[in-house]
Amino acid sequence: TRSTDVCKLLSSPDIIDQDNCTAFIEYEYGNSTGSSGTTILGIHDGSTTSNRIQIVNRSSKITLFSTASGSTYISDALIASSLSQGDRIKIALVINTEGVTAFYNGTKVYTSTAAPVWSAVMDDLFIGSRSGVGEYGSGEEVKQALVFPTTLTDSECIALTTL
């Protein structure tokens, strides 16, 4: 019976250490709206185009998209596919100076091949939105979202995301 919540949690520098952190989200998969999909979790520098990393729900799949210093860093890396509304999803992103690694429901599914070069501090965390604009798809429900101030190990991420 409630409308969509848009959550901008952080707005001061150095709360998210973009060179050494782990972001986690658990949610129930919903139907994406529009061809560009819906952002489930986003970390931005405030401009949303120069430095950002987003988990996106698009056409029965989940992808990872990122820009660093205004250039595409990760272009729709596949995290999961063939999803149905109501599926339970757990995703962890480890972000450090070596790159980005994604874990999905207990499995390591993506590792970037190059380190990100951020040109600004990314101090905005958005849950269920991109830049403060609500983008929830029909039937989505966030269960929990966490940011750890360190990079978790592979085994810790696997344990955290196992259903």
Side-chain angles (χ1 to χ4, degrees):
T1 60
R2 287 179 50 167
S3 62
T4 300
D5 287 329
V6 176
C7 185
K8 179 180 176 185
L9 294 178
L10 306 174
S11 59
S12 63
D14 302 325
I15 293 177
I16 294 177
D17 179 356
Q18 66 213 29
D19 294 324
N20 188 39
C21 72
T22 303
F24 168 80
I25 190 153
E26 177 183 3
Y27 71 100
E28 199 169 289
Y29 186 82
N31 293 328
S32 61
T33 55
S35 61
S36 63
T38 59
T39 300
I40 303 305
L41 180 83
I43 301 173
H44 302 272
D45 68 358
S47 73
T48 72
T49 57
S50 294
N51 300 281
R52 64 181 165 154
I53 190 162
Q54 295 172 213
I55 299 170
V56 181
N57 168 357
R58 179 181 298 129
S59 303
S60 300
K61 63 184 177 181
I62 299 171
T63 61
L64 181 62
F65 180 81
S66 180
T67 56
S69 301
S71 298
T72 300
Y73 168 59
I74 300 170
S75 180
D76 293 325
L78 184 64
I79 293 178
S81 61
S82 301
L83 298 169
S84 299
Q85 187 167 346
D87 286 351
R88 189 169 163 208
I89 307 296
K90 288 184 172 185
I91 298 171
L93 297 179
V94 175
I95 305 165
N96 60 33
T97 56
E98 296 176 16
V100 175
T101 305
F103 297 82
Y104 162 74
N105 288 1
T107 304
K108 183 189 231 180
V109 294
Y110 175 80
T111 301
S112 62
T113 57
V117 179
W118 312 114
S119 62
V121 174
M122 296 193 306
D123 56 2
D124 294 338
L125 173 66
F126 294 96
I127 300 169
S129 74
R130 177 181 56 190
S131 309
V133 177
E135 289 191 332
Y136 274 124
S138 172
E140 277 174 6
E141 182 180 339
V142 173
K143 304 293 185 185
Q144 62 178 324
L146 307 165
V147 176
F148 298 91
T150 60
T151 55
L152 299 181
T153 65
D154 286 4
S155 59
E156 289 171 326
C157 287
I158 288 168
L160 181 65
T161 60
T162 296
L163 294 176

